[in-house]
Amino acid sequence: MGYKDVYARWQADPEAFWLEAAEAIDWVEKPGKALFDDNAPLYEWFSDATVNTCWNAVDRHVERGRGEQTAIIHDSPITGSKREISYIELRNRVAMLAGALRAKGIGKGDRVIIYMPMIPEALEAMLACARLGAVHSVVFGGFAANELAVRIDDCTPKAIIAASCGLEPGRVVHYKPLLDGAIEQAAHKPDFCVIFQREQEVAHLTEGRDVNWHDFQDGVEPAECVPVAGNHPAYILYTSGTTGAPKGVVRPTAGHLVALNWSMKNIYNVEPGDVFWAASDVGWVVGHSYICYGPLIHGNTTVVFEGKPVGTPDAGTFWRVISEHKVRSFFTAPTAFRAVKREDPKGELLGKYDLSHLNAIYLAGERADPDTIEWTQAMTGKPVYDHWWQTETGWSIAGNPVGIEPLPVKIGSPTVAMPGYDVRILDEGGHELPPGELGAIAIKLPLPPGTLPTLWNAEDRFRKSYLTTFPGHYETGDAGVKDADGYLWIMARTDDVINVAGHRLSTGGMEEVLASHPDVAECAVIGVADPLKGQAPVGFLCLSNGVNRPHEEISAECVKLVRERIGPVAAFKLAVVVDRLPKTRSGKILRGIMVRIADGTDYKMPATIDDPAILDEIKGALQAIGYAKEG
Ligand code: COA
Ligand code: AMP
């Protein structure tokens, strides 16, 4: 059966389609039906079933004879270490950790924040929570204490599991002081923290609150898998929205299991036992779905890579890992290949490695520019598949269904809608546009299994952010085109979200930080085109009357402030002082025009602009920092 047949089969009978996919999951109580629509436009899947995620990701493989298979390969060029953990070891380690958490009072529904680098213990912590039905929320290591504090207050965790440190090239990331600072800032206090001490930095434990990862497991009873309802939240993952307050995306347990398992074969084309590698971070959705859960649920071997595409030690690292561990499907963000290409444009380092086990390369997380796809394809001789999705969906909205049937690649398009997604291009009034026309990308409700049913403690925000603009549809926040063959082309965000090195960031959040600087009266942050990171944030500052300190000093303070409040991951390095910001007569800042000026692309002077002369000033300010080039 080809893609068109599979998609048509889903369209004709979604209920049967998803119940069939659900057969690949071990249920405690099987689902009586797939979709629960009594609360539409809020939908749930498999709510009447009971199931455990950890059982499906770990124990069942041991039961079925895969115990000796490697579950996790940890490859850490940054520490010079490699380690393999079999499914049976993983089961034992996770059961002990879960037992220790249970002994300290963690149970079904309790939230646990995980703040860890790319070490297997991060996955073990996630799985231990899943084993108990506790709801984890992993926070990316590149966020500052303030961002961690915001998440602590939003999901009110009973426990936090952290490592003593993370490692960036040339720099130790001191997690423990960040954690202590966050707990101090937060109004909510966790009952206890579990600290995994890394040999690179042993952290000071706070008496009465912190326990050592190993010590607290001493003598505990291993925990069994606790069955939870199909609609029980598996985890909360915070992602950037329009404001500084992150959105807590809720992942429903049963749909997550069914959809991820389905995607491993149909999209990534791997069989159980194959090695699958997603070079991302457990702090992002790619890390949740395709470093931890997807490959493990499907019985694959997953690679946990602690390093960078370049500099650890060189631009051949990806090729080394692929060759050494016999990776069959490889997934990363385009920015990673841009970094490799910049260092090794002729792909000379590739010659040292045997990529014969590699079938295909998958890209997502940001727009895949044709140059990067073509270069990667030419260097590796492997097909490169772009696919498009979001934290909210947890798996591909559009992709190339290679495991069903590889479709012809159109470079620049993430290919076609996956079964489960009825993708529509809408005009401002919510009418469907004909093929080839640019509009807002929306998905007709219901979304498929695995996607977010709501935002944590914020159902109103969920409705307002996603369900209100186009009633009956989910608003993706992306704009794009569907061509006559049904291929999608993702062009830009329709909101203030930018994408820097595959990391989703809120310009609104950065503006909130800049506005808090005592000398800043008004500000705007835009994402300008960046040859390595896709986009880079640039801040414009209008100073309060009477401020006459050197502009460079204020700009530098603002850069520091964003790093302190949001974190290094914001990659906020440029802030310029301007007299005024371009606005419409009604006072709306014209950020879109500023982006076009910065990128040197054509723009139409908006009829509503208050004073067109301001644009020249903006251009001058941008040229002074190397943007808005002419010609
Ligand atoms: N913990 C702490 N700090 C982190 C971090 C982490 N897990 N990840 C990144 N940072 C820091 C970096 O050290 C850098 O700090 P600096 O300003 O002191 O140099 C800053 O955050 C910005 O990071 P990044 O934007 O990633 O830039 P980079 O120059 O370090 O690396 C790439 C550029 C392209 C090599 C890198 O972004 C990369 O490997 N991307 C892969 C794509 C990816 O993983 N995407 C995730 C979604 S799929
Ligand atoms: P995140 O939630 O961090 O995964 O970011 C999701 C956003 O990244 C999407 O809404 C898009 O704006 C962008 N994105 C992800 N994948 C792609 C892709 N393949 N092509 C274009 N944009 C993408």
Side-chain angles (χ1 to χ4, degrees), residues 19-38:
L19 281 174
E20 190 187 313
E23 282 169 22
I25 296 305
D26 280 14
W27 302 97
V28 179
E29 280 171 70
K30 279 194 165 209
K33 61 176 186 157
L35 182 66
F36 287 72
D37 58 2
D38 6 316

Side-chain angles (χ1 to χ4, degrees), residues 365-367 386-391 478 490 493 499 504:
E366 56 168 331
R367 191 178 157 265
D386 182 15
H387 58 323
W388 167 63
W389 50 292
Q390 327 179 294
T391 305
D478 284 307
I490 316 304
R493 289 287 303 189
N499 202 310
R504 175 165 158 183

Side-chain angles (χ1 to χ4, degrees), residues 115-118 140-143 166-169 171-173 175 178 279-281 284-287 305 307-310 318 331-340 342 364-366 389 499-505 532-533 563 567-573:
Y115 189 51
M116 296 183 101
M118 287 296 288
F140 179 62
F143 282 122
L167 301 164
E168 284 291 290
R171 174 163 73 94
V172 173
V173 186
Y175 275 25
L178 287 169
S280 176
D281 188 284
W284 307 117
V285 71
V286 175
F305 172 72
K308 301 273 170 178
V310 294
F318 276 2
F331 176 172
T332 193
T335 188
F337 282 121
R338 286 196 295 270
V340 174
R342 199 165 70 165
E366 56 168 331
W389 50 292
N499 202 310
V500 180
H503 307 141
R504 175 165 158 183
L505 299 166
L532 175 66
K533 298 190 178 187
R563 193 175 171 96
V569 67
F572 184 83
K573 310 251 155 137

Side-chain angles (χ1 to χ4, degrees), residues 343-364:
E343 298 268 306
D344 183 19
K346 298 205 180 99
E348 280 158 7
L349 292 166
L350 257 159
K352 288 167 64 181
Y353 302 102
D354 167 17
L355 302 190
S356 59
H357 288 89
L358 184 69
N359 268 5
I361 295 170
Y362 294 79
L363 298 178

